[in-house]
């Protein structure tokens, strides 16, 4: 049954235009996708103009900005490279996030067609489609990203061997050695204004 | 820090003496502590009037108590994080101006007159509320910790940052005033197939997360005040979501919309981010709860022991996203022997707890650790126990036991031990 409760008579009904203006989210099953389409070549043009300055010409990223492409087969390595192609489970997330929050500093400035085109180009950068590919509302949900199956729900409660254990309180181990030291790494920012509150 | 202002009475008196000793029986000649035997300026001159600071700030001697950032952590300071100075705080409440910040599109500057909250999706009636509307619902006051999922994340591979502000400071604990999310959802009427809700922020990052309806109808708050005053802009002014015990990313700030749906949205912040990569290349998702955790805040690398041997107070904070903290244990010898710490202050559900352990320090080196036990019986694990399950690349949810090495001088360092 619906959640029923006391009404306080507060608020008002949202108009369809208001809901349409704010409800722009997209789900993996395609719910929320607007009409539209875009090709890899259209996407390349937009990407070079609006994205490459941070994300690099090939999605490899500039500086510490996010890497968008590559990294396949690195998820078990010491330094995984988690990109759309190597890590993300759903293409809908690409469309939704680019449309709602990118470019950084000029969010919600991309049209629906531009977002389809950019999404197509990001697929191309990740070797998922050919250069003549066109992404549309109609073919969108046929597409699967490579890493979709490798996510699973939180299983901490099953795997936590330290649940309900009785913690040791005395003579717990014979000896203790220091194995790593932050002062050796020396990456903590200095604070020139630091002063001890008690002075002296 | 000492006050060297030339107008201080002490300097004035010294100057007078040097100039000829004209003053008889000056306090400077008295035996004892000059802080006592000399008249101090604050005991002689008038202080500031009541209207000098309509909104007061801490003492100038506390100017070092502040949020800090680590520039190399992020690409830029807008989608970034800073850290609460845990080593300078006591009790369980974080002052509003010191609560760590985490933004993805900077701090939104929202005119409260233009603030709107929309409820849409699988509801009987899609609704819009103003801020004034929200303040007319029955209110609740609750203290909760908000911990970033990435708190201590830089420490997965080993000891990196030297100070609990940096290793554990992506957390704050304040009293929120707001309306039960359940009450808000009930106004719209959740349909029977409404199984998930998606809060969305009004800022340029348009933060979205998927939350199961059970949690949404349980203890979430739509909050407009923290510690008795309006939310700070950097904490979501005028309205944020409070998701008790769950990772900070879900506490959507500048909350503009809550959609009800029949399945999760799998948006960027629950796929690319806030999923926990395991050593086998698979990843946990929807790791919402923040497990039991603790840290000794004093002594710590930014707060060494300066008083030498003798009676010494070890203090810190503990918290659990699954309940209250039942016990905290403290070791001074790297976990060979543990002692019951004393929890003092309120023990609220999913809120910070303050603990103390007092002992007589003989001046020899120490390996300090704290270990929290929560009301479900969960015992805070060591970092190595976590790594054995997860490897070193899961970024989030590092609640492993922290070690501080204290040397003979009382200086502290972030270390790992066997």
């Amino acid at each position: 049954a619906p959640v029923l409760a006391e009404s306080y008579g507060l608020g008002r009904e949202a108009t369809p235009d208001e809901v349409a203006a704010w409800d722009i989210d997209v789900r993996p099953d395609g719910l929320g996708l607007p009409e539209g389409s875009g090709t890899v070549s259209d996407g390349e043009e937009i990407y070079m103009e609006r994205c490459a300055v941070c994300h690099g010409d090939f999605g490899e990223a500039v500086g510490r900005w996010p890497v968008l492409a590559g990294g396949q087969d690195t998820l078990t390595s010491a330094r995984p490279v988690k990109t759309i192609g190597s890590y993300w489970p759903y293409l809908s997330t690409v469309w939704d996030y680019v449309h709602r929050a990118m470019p950084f500093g000029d969010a919600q400035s991309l049209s629906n067609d531009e977002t389809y085109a950019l999404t197509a180009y990001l697929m191309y950068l990740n070797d998922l489609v050919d250069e003549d590919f066109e992404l549309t509302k109609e073919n969108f949900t046929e597409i699967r990203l490579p890493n979709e199956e490798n996510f699973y729900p939180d299983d901490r409660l099953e795997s936590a061997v330290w649940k309900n254990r009785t913690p040791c309180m005395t003579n717990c181990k014979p000896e203790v050695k220091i194995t790593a030291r932050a002062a050796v790494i020396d990456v903590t920012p200095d604070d020139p204004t630091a002063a001890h509150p008690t002075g002296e | 820090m000492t006050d060297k202002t030339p107008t201080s009475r002490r300097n004035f008196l010294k100057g007078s003496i040097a100039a000829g000793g004209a003053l008889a029986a000056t306090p400077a000649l008295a035996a004892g502590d000059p802080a006592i035997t000399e008249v101090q300026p604050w005991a002689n001159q008038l202080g500031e009037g009541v209207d000098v600071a309509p909104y007061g700030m801490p003492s100038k001697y506390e100017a070092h108590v502040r949020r800090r950032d680590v520039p190399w952590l992020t690409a830029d300071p807008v989608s970034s994080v800073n850290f609460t100075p845990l080593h300078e705080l006591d009790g369980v409440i974080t002052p509003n101006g010191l609560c760590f910040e985490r933004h993805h599109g900077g701090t939104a500057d929202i005119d409260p007159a233009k603030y709107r909250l929309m409820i849409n999706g699988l509801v009987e009636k899609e609704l819009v509320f103003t801020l004034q509307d929200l303040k007319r619902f029955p209110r609740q006051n609750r203290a909760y910790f908000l911990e970033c999922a990435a708190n201590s994340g830089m420490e997965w591979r080993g000891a990196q940052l030297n100070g609990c502000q940096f290793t554990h400071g992506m957390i704050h604990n304040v009293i929120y005033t707001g309306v039960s999310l359940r009450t808000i959802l009930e106004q719209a009427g959740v349909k029977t197939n409404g199984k998930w809700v998606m809060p969305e922020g009004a800022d340029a990052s348009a933060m979205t997360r998927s939350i199961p309806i059970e949690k949404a109808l349980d203890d979430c708050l739509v909050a407009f005040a923290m510690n008795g005053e309006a939310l700070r802009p950097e904490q979501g002014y005028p309205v944020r979501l409070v998701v008790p015990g769950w990772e900070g990313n879900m506490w959507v700030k500048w909350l503009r919309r809550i959609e009800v749906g029949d399945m999760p949205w799998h948006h960027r912040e629950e796929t690319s981010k806030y999923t926990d990569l395991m050593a086998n290349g698979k990843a946990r998702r929807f790791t919402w709860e923040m497990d039991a955790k603790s840290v000794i805040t004093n002594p710590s690398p930014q707060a060494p022991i300066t008083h030498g041997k003798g009676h010494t107070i070890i203090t810190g904070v503990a918290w659990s996203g699954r309940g209250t903290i039942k016990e905290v244990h403290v070791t001074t010898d790297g976990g060979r022997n543990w002692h019951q710490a004393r929890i003092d202050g309120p023990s609220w559900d999913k809120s910070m707890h303050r603990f103390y352990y007092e002992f007589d320090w003989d001046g020899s080196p120490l390996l300090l650790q704290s270990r929290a036990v929560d009301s479900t019986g969960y015992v805070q694990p060591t970092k190595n126990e976590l790594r054995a399950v997860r490897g070193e690349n899961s970024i989030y949810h590092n609640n492993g036991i922290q070690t501080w090495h204290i040397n003979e001088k009382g200086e502290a360092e972030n270390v790992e031990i066997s």
Side-chain angles (χ1 to χ4, degrees), chain A residues 65-85:
Chain A
W65 297 106
V67 183
L68 301 181
Q72 278 80 0
D73 303 320
T74 66
L75 296 184
T76 56
S77 72
R79 301 279 173 173
V81 180
K82 298 192 286 183
T83 73
I84 292 165

Side-chain angles (χ1 to χ4, degrees), chain B residues 133-211:
Chain B
D133 292 334
L134 294 181
K135 291 182 174 179
R136 292 169 67 192
F137 285 107
R139 296 178 200 171
Q140 296 182 346
N141 292 288
R142 302 279 189 277
Y144 295 116
F145 75 83
L146 186 171
E147 184 183 17
C148 179
N151 200 22
S152 314
M154 297 82 76
E155 303 291 307
W156 272 111
R157 288 201 182 89
Q160 267 216 93
L161 287 160
N162 215 18
C164 70
Q165 179 169 16
F166 302 111
T167 58
H168 289 74
M170 290 188 215
I171 189 168
H172 50 71
N173 198 73
V174 306
I175 298 180
Y176 295 96
T177 305
V179 180
S180 164
L181 175 57
R182 183 187 187 100
T183 300
I184 305 282
L185 290 171
E186 284 170 347
Q187 304 309 300
V190 175
K191 291 184 177 175
T192 47
N193 55 341
K195 299 300 182 194
W196 293 79
V197 304
M198 188 192 71
E200 178 182 73
D203 62 311
S205 78
M207 178 65 61
T208 46
R209 287 294 304 259
S210 303
I211 299 176

Side-chain angles (χ1 to χ4, degrees), chain A residues 2-17:
Chain A
V3 175
L4 297 172
E6 186 175 356
S7 169
Y8 294 93
L10 298 171
R12 62 164 175 83
E13 286 206 47
T15 71
D17 284 350

Side-chain angles (χ1 to χ4, degrees), chain B residues 51-73:
Chain B
D51 54 354
V52 166
Y55 196 118
M57 292 292 287
S59 160
K60 64 187 176 190
Y61 303 108
E62 301 297 320
H64 56 287
V65 181
R66 59 191 188 123
R67 295 183 283 222
R68 301 275 312 275
D69 74 337
V70 178
W72 56 263
L73 273 180

Side-chain angles (χ1 to χ4, degrees), chain B residues 8-85:
Chain B
S8 89
R9 178 154 184 84
R10 178 167 136 186
N11 289 340
F12 172 76
L13 288 172
K14 279 178 183 165
S16 301
I17 294 160
L23 294 176
T26 61
L29 299 177
D33 180 354
I36 299 171
T37 60
E38 294 182 10
V39 176
Q40 301 298 318
W42 53 83
N44 163 250
Q45 300 157 15
L46 299 177
E48 291 181 330
V50 291
D51 54 354
V52 166
Y55 196 118
M57 292 292 287
S59 160
K60 64 187 176 190
Y61 303 108
E62 301 297 320
H64 56 287
V65 181
R66 59 191 188 123
R67 295 183 283 222
R68 301 275 312 275
D69 74 337
V70 178
W72 56 263
L73 273 180
T74 53
D76 87 324
V78 171
S79 182
S80 193
V81 65
N82 64 16
F83 300 85
T84 302

Side-chain angles (χ1 to χ4, degrees), chain B residues 338-383:
Chain B
W338 295 84
H339 314 276
Q340 287 282 349
R342 179 172 60 87
I343 294 174
D344 194 275
S347 174
W348 289 315
D349 190 44
K350 305 177 181 73
S351 174
M352 256 188 196
H353 293 56
R354 171 64 57 175
F355 67 85
Y356 300 93
Y357 173 68
E358 301 170 17
F359 77 117
D360 189 17
W361 185 41
D362 65 6
S364 58
L366 307 170
L367 287 167
L368 298 183
Q369 295 180 330
S370 61
R371 180 175 68 191
V373 182
D374 75 13
S375 49
T376 73
Y378 175 97
V379 181
Q380 185 185 357
T382 66
K383 290 182 189 172

Side-chain angles (χ1 to χ4, degrees), chain B residues 263-303:
Chain B
M263 56 178 75
W265 281 261
H266 296 286
H267 274 184
R268 190 245 196 182
E269 309 293 331
E270 53 202 16
T271 54
S272 170
K273 308 298 177 187
Y274 306 100
T275 52
D276 310 349
L277 182 62
M278 312 294 272
N280 64 2
K282 295 180 183 294
R284 285 176 177 157
R285 68 175 154 217
F286 300 152
T287 46
W288 297 312
E289 289 89 350
M290 300 306 293
D291 280 318
K293 187 168 174 179
S294 66
V295 65
I296 291 171
T297 56
N298 306 79
S300 64
Q302 297 162 288

Side-chain angles (χ1 to χ4, degrees), chain B residues 301-324:
Chain B
Q302 297 162 288
I305 300 174
T306 55
H307 55 58
K309 300 174 187 177
H311 190 72
T312 299
I313 292 183
I314 292 172
T315 186
V317 283
W319 60 94
S320 171
R322 301 186 196 269
T324 58

